[in-house]
Structure formats: C-alpha cells, structure tokens
Amino acid sequence: MSSAAPKGENCLVDTDSKAGDLFSAENAHPTGTGGTGMLAKLWLPKGLSASVAKEWFDRRRLSIRPWASFVDQRKFSKPRNFGELCQRVVKNVEVYNSNYTFIFLGLILYCIISSPMLLIALAVFAGAFYIIHLKSLESKLVLLGKELTVPHQMSLAGLVSLPVFWLAGAGAAVFWVFGATLFVIGSHAAFRQLEGSDLDELLMEPV
C-alpha cells in the first residue's frame, strides 16, 4: 500500500518537529494572539508574553540592593521627627523598590503555599479558564450577542471559581498579604537610615 505510515528516522523527526511546534515559544506572536505554538494559544494577556515577563523579572532581580545591607541592624534608627520619617520613607521606597517587590511576591507565595484550600481555588480558576479558552479557540464564544474576549473569559472563570475562593477565605488572605506587606515595608522604610549619597542628593534637591 502506498499510504503506509512513515517508519524509522522519518517518524522520529516528524514527532520531534510536532513537539517543537506545540511547546516552542519562537512561533508565538509577541502579543500572544498569533503563532502556532502551544504558548501562543494559552498565553493570556494581550500585549504581554513570556519574554516580557522574564525581562521584567530579570530587571528587578538585577536592581536588588544587597540583602546583607538591606537587613543590617546597625543602619536602623528611630527618625528624629516627622519630616525625617517622610524623607526616609520616600527615599527608601525609591532605593529598595526591587527588594520590596520580592518581599511582596514572597508573602503572596507563602500565603498560597500555607493554604491548601487557596491552592485548590487557584487550580479551579486555572482549569475553568483553560477549558473556556480552549472552547473559544475551537469556535467563537458568544454571550448576550457579544463575543467573549480574553478578559471576559477570565471574568467568567472567576465567577465559576468564586464559591471555592469564598470557602478558601481568599478575602482574608488578600487583606493579610497587603497588611503584612505594608507593615514590613513601612517599618523598613521608616527606620532604615539613609546612605550618605542619598542624604547629599536630598540636600541638593531644590525646595
């Protein structure tokens, strides 16, 4: 029969090429709307891509101030007055913004890991969105005469998973993360002494 399936190396090559098409990010359009790879089909926000997220993460990581200096107890003191307190907060947030960002992300990660129900809720949300998104790729999803865009799909997935988030106490978790973040970052920014260069820069600023 002339239509026999390919054998040997040709079969392996075809399998590898197909696997490359599924998981290759090279075929994905930068906006996440084009391309033939799996990443192009599953990436969510329009205008963003894995490379953009990685670039942002790398920029933050490279701009982190040394953690040893960040937590050096010898450089902490009580501000003398309210004016100095405000100066410290404004300047330290500017100087240590990358450190503060990773502290915020770390608190979110800790909150998720320490709450099994929250993990389940996130899994339900991701699963619901995945199913809705796959359906939209097969055919356009229309609700009340309007096509469901990606934000609409995320909202629908959120509604589906809302009861699970409520059972998981997601609201309390969000308040805890923001409260802990404000406490940790606020305390550090208020009590961390400014470096000499930072003080000189403040003195040189026009009033």
Side-chain angles (χ1 to χ4, degrees):
M1 295 176 65
S2 60
S3 60
K7 298 180 180 179
E9 287 184 350
N10 291 335
C11 183
L12 292 175
V13 170
D14 291 340
T15 303
D16 291 341
S17 63
K18 288 179 181 179
D21 290 341
L22 284 174
F23 298 102
S24 173
E26 294 177 358
N27 295 328
H29 192 275
T31 62
T33 57
T36 58
M38 181 70 77
L39 292 178
K41 292 181 179 180
L42 296 182
W43 191 243
L44 313 182
K46 186 177 180 180
L48 293 179
S49 66
S51 60
V52 172
K54 185 178 183 300
E55 182 182 351
W56 177 87
F57 184 85
D58 289 341
R59 258 200 330 267
R60 286 292 181 181
R61 183 171 54 83
L62 292 174
S63 62
I64 288 178
R65 294 299 182 99
W67 290 104
S69 174
F70 182 80
V71 297
D72 189 353
Q73 296 181 358
R74 296 170 298 178
K75 297 183 178 180
F76 285 83
S77 66
K78 181 180 178 181
R80 290 170 295 184
N81 50 55
F82 182 73
E84 184 179 6
L85 172 66
C86 294
Q87 287 182 345
R88 285 187 181 184
V89 170
V90 171
K91 194 63 183 179
N92 282 330
V93 168
E94 177 185 339
V95 172
Y96 296 106
N97 64 84
S98 292
N99 299 70
Y100 293 154
T101 299
F102 279 95
I103 288 175
F104 175 64
L105 294 177
L107 288 172
I108 292 177
L109 185 62
Y110 170 78
C111 186
I112 293 174
I113 293 176
S114 61
S115 175
M117 280 298 296
L118 198 55
L119 282 172
I120 295 174
L122 289 172
V124 171
F125 171 78
F129 176 77
Y130 179 77
I131 294 172
I132 294 171
H133 192 59
L134 286 184
K135 292 293 184 182
S136 70
L137 293 176
E138 295 174 0
S139 61
K140 292 182 179 181
L141 297 180
V142 179
L143 183 65
L144 299 178
K146 293 185 178 180
E147 181 183 350
L148 294 181
T149 61
V150 171
H152 294 151
Q153 295 169 24
M154 293 185 71
S155 300
L156 184 58
L159 287 175
V160 172
S161 56
L162 184 61
V164 188
F165 276 105
W166 181 77
L167 291 174
V174 170
F175 280 111
W176 182 88
V177 168
F178 279 107
T181 300
L182 288 175
F183 176 77
V184 173
I185 294 177
S187 298
H188 183 275
F191 291 98
R192 178 61 164 81
Q193 298 175 4
L194 299 180
E195 301 290 348
S197 57
D198 295 331
L199 286 172
D200 294 340
E201 186 177 336
L202 282 174
L203 292 174
M204 294 176 62
E205 288 181 357
V207 179

